[in-house]
Amino acid sequence: MDPDPAPAPSGTAGPYGTAGPETAGAPEGVTRRGTPVGRLTVLYDADCPLCVHLRHWLLRQRQLVPLDLVPAGSQRARRLLPALDHGATLREITVVGDRGQVYRGAAAWTVCLWALAAYRHQAHRLATPAGRLVARAAVLGAARWREALKPDGCADGHCEVPGPPG
């Protein structure tokens, strides 16, 4: 990858731009200037039981790249990332790299796995064309499950958040 004015690798974008599910550059952890990712901010829906469960799971894993887990749409998120579309972060998992890369949906999950010692190999597989289809299907399945919770257990728009998984 060329170090400077070359276009961003697929799956990354400049300061708070958007990245699609095509994440070929994400697992390598390289920004468009060739600088390694040093830290990732994971924005998650604190009112979603699945999201909170996955937050706790991520925190229990050995991290090769530190993950800061921040509730999407929170004052903290708005303060840390003022240029980001915070409404969109409540609809779809968003991960922001310390150099301004933004990953959404399947790309966000892939880069989260890439940051974990035990799952980096799987993240590289998910970055292949066939793997991206698998990652996208998993994200769509999780989104359907998440939406299914809302009518039954979330009458006021806030779901009951479980404690840390055992």
Side-chain angles (χ1 to χ4, degrees):
M1 179 180 311
D2 293 330
D4 224 328
S10 178
T12 63
Y16 314 121
T18 56
E22 46 300 322
T23 79
E28 286 88 26
V30 176
T31 69
R32 66 178 169 180
R33 290 197 167 78
T35 306
V37 172
R39 181 169 223 92
L40 294 166
T41 300
V42 180
L43 300 166
Y44 69 96
D45 184 350
D47 291 329
C48 165
L50 175 62
C51 303
V52 172
H53 174 80
L54 290 169
R55 173 195 179 273
H56 291 301
W57 179 81
L58 285 169
L59 289 173
R60 288 195 316 269
Q61 305 305 308
R62 187 165 74 83
Q63 299 172 4
L64 298 174
V65 175
L67 299 175
D68 296 322
L69 290 113
V70 177
S74 68
Q75 288 300 325
R76 181 174 174 216
R78 292 173 191 283
R79 188 176 63 254
L80 289 172
L81 305 163
L84 201 60
D85 176 356
H86 291 279
T89 67
L90 287 165
R91 292 185 299 276
E92 185 173 38
I93 182 175
T94 303
V95 177
V96 181
D98 57 352
R99 301 288 184 194
Q101 321 86 314
V102 174
Y103 306 93
R104 298 185 189 281
W109 282 115
T110 301
V111 80
C112 282
L113 292 175
W114 172 83
L116 304 176
Y119 295 92
R120 185 163 278 189
H121 178 70
Q122 286 88 339
H124 283 285
R125 289 195 340 228
L126 290 173
T128 66
R132 282 193 291 269
L133 294 174
V134 171
R136 177 112 172 104
V139 167
L140 290 173
R144 275 189 232 110
W145 185 87
R146 188 174 168 226
E147 284 301 311
L149 286 177
K150 288 186 180 180
D152 299 327
C154 309
D156 64 354
H158 288 60
C159 303
E160 183 178 323
V161 178

